[in-house]
Amino acid sequence: MSGLINSGRSGIISSMDNVSLGSSVSMDNVSLGSVVFPVGHVIQTKMIRYDTYDVVYAAYAVLSVLRLTITPHNANSILMCQWRVSKEWSSNGNWRVFKNGSLVTTSGFEGYNSVFGDEDESGLGGSDYGQNQDSTLETDFIVYYDKPGSASSVYYELQYHPGSDQSFTLNRTYNGAGSGNSDDDGYERGISIGIIHELSDNASTDIIL
C-alpha cells in the first residue's frame, strides 16, 4: 500500500510502502499486530525520579523509592535496568538487585557476582569509601539486565548490602550540618533516577499504541 491515509478511515493495513500519515495525526488504540523488531530495539521505557533527602537507610535496605516496574510486551524481551544513585554510606558497601521482592538468583542473571556467590561482599558494584562522611556526596551508576521469560508485570529494586552493619543516606551527605532539611552550602544534595527499557530479542511482538 502507498499513498495518503485520510482521516476517518478504519480497517486493517496488511503492508505499507512509502505511506504518509500527513500532519497532526492522532491515533488511539492502534494495533500494530505481530511485529519483529531488530535485536536491541527499544520497545518501551519507564522512568522514576526521587528527590527526597532526609532519610537514613539501615543496612540491607531495599530502595523501593527507586522501584522500576514494567509489563513486557513480549516474554522473550530483555529488560535493562539503569540506576543513578546519589548517596553516601557510612562504610564500605555493595548494590544487589531484587526482582519482585526477592534477590535475583537465576543463573546468568544473578543480582550479585555469580562467581563469588551469595556472600556479604558480593554484589554488582559499589563506590569508593573515602572515610569522609561529612560533605562529599557520591554518585553510583548501576546497570543490570534480565530476561524474565514472561509478559507479566515485574519490578526491580536495588538493595544496599554492606560488609558490616552500616547505614547510608540517599540524595545527601551522611553527617554534618547538611543532614536532614537544614540548608548549608557546604553539604551537597542530589537526586536519584531509575530507568528500565524493554529491548527486543528479535521475537514477534504484539504492540498496541
Side-chain angles (χ1 to χ4, degrees), residues 49-170:
R49 168 176 169 153
Y50 189 72
D51 289 54
T52 300
Y53 56 82
D54 59 350
V55 178
V56 178
Y57 290 87
Y60 312 108
V62 176
L63 289 184
S64 59
V65 296
L66 291 177
R67 176 181 294 177
L68 296 175
T69 303
I70 196 168
T71 301
H73 286 287
N74 193 297
N76 293 315
S77 292
I78 298 169
L79 301 181
M80 182 178 182
C81 303
Q82 298 172 294
W83 289 275
R84 196 205 69 182
V85 183
S86 297
K87 62 96 180 78
E88 187 173 32
W89 44 41
S90 60
S91 183
N92 57 302
N94 219 326
W95 294 111
R96 291 181 161 200
V97 172
F98 276 48
K99 178 169 69 174
N100 293 337
S102 299
L103 178 66
V104 184
T105 59
T106 305
S107 178
F109 302 99
E110 294 90 347
Y112 51 88
N113 186 304
S114 62
V115 176
F116 194 71
D118 184 6
E119 304 290 343
D120 279 346
E121 298 82 6
S122 184
L124 298 183
S127 62
D128 293 337
Y129 168 54
Q131 299 185 358
N132 178 348
Q133 301 172 7
D134 227 357
S135 60
T136 305
L137 191 67
E138 302 162 350
T139 302
D140 289 354
F141 296 88
I142 302 97
V143 179
Y144 171 79
Y145 70 90
D146 186 29
K147 195 171 183 180
S150 170
S152 299
S153 178
V154 62
Y155 66 88
Y156 297 88
E157 297 165 306
L158 287 177
Q159 183 205 36
Y160 167 57
H161 206 270
S164 57
D165 190 16
Q166 301 292 330
S167 57
F168 79 101
T169 52
L170 190 64

Side-chain angles (χ1 to χ4, degrees), residues 146-202:
D146 186 29
K147 195 171 183 180
S150 170
S152 299
S153 178
V154 62
Y155 66 88
Y156 297 88
E157 297 165 306
L158 287 177
Q159 183 205 36
Y160 167 57
H161 206 270
S164 57
D165 190 16
Q166 301 292 330
S167 57
F168 79 101
T169 52
L170 190 64
N171 295 335
R172 69 168 173 86
T173 55
Y174 193 83
N175 289 332
S179 300
N181 290 313
S182 59
D183 186 13
D184 192 312
D185 290 340
Y187 300 89
E188 300 95 349
R189 313 295 201 280
I191 67 168
S192 296
I193 293 175
I195 302 174
I196 185 168
H197 304 287
E198 179 184 2
L199 306 178
S200 171
D201 193 31
N202 202 34

